[in-house]
Amino acid sequence: MVAEEVYERTAELFATLASPRRLALVQRLAQAPATVGDLAEDLGVSQPLVSQHLRVLRQARLVHGRRDGRTVTYEVVDEHVAHVVADALAHGTEDDDG
């Protein structure tokens, strides 16, 4: 039997990932670490929007920023989360008839 605390932490994880932009950020960072500018360019959104979503992901301890001077490079902290996102995206592309 799984403890209630585990269900709560898992529900918080899914709530954090309930944003399409955050899913895209985790998917992109699972491929390779990147800066806010790189992420904004890759996803076609503004740097402030990327920064807002990264803040949420950092607070949830899903991504980590590594500072080098004025540049911060972000990466996925937990490969399990990257796999959950990849599996969920794969599920989202399956046919409804399947």
Side-chain angles (χ1 to χ4, degrees):
M1 189 77 178
V2 176
E4 185 67 25
E5 177 183 313
V6 174
Y7 286 122
E8 289 174 14
R9 283 195 320 254
T10 304
E12 288 173 11
L13 167 68
F14 282 115
T16 299
L17 294 174
S19 161
R21 294 275 186 248
R22 289 194 286 271
L23 286 171
L25 285 167
V26 171
Q27 180 191 34
R28 168 57 183 81
L29 290 172
Q31 296 169 5
T35 65
V36 172
D38 294 335
L39 294 167
E41 184 177 322
D42 290 349
L43 300 179
V45 297
S46 69
Q47 288 188 10
L49 182 60
V50 169
S51 293
Q52 289 174 356
H53 285 296
L54 285 171
R55 179 178 43 81
V56 173
L57 293 170
R58 277 193 327 268
Q59 289 173 341
R61 295 180 306 241
L62 301 180
V63 301
H64 169 71
R66 207 176 51 248
R67 182 172 292 282
D68 182 20
R70 293 180 53 177
T71 303
V72 179
T73 302
Y74 291 91
E75 59 191 349
V76 173
V77 170
D78 186 345
E79 290 301 316
H80 289 105
V81 173
H83 290 289
V84 167
V85 169
D87 288 347
L89 292 171
H91 178 73
T93 62
E94 292 177 355
D95 286 340
D96 291 334
D97 297 335

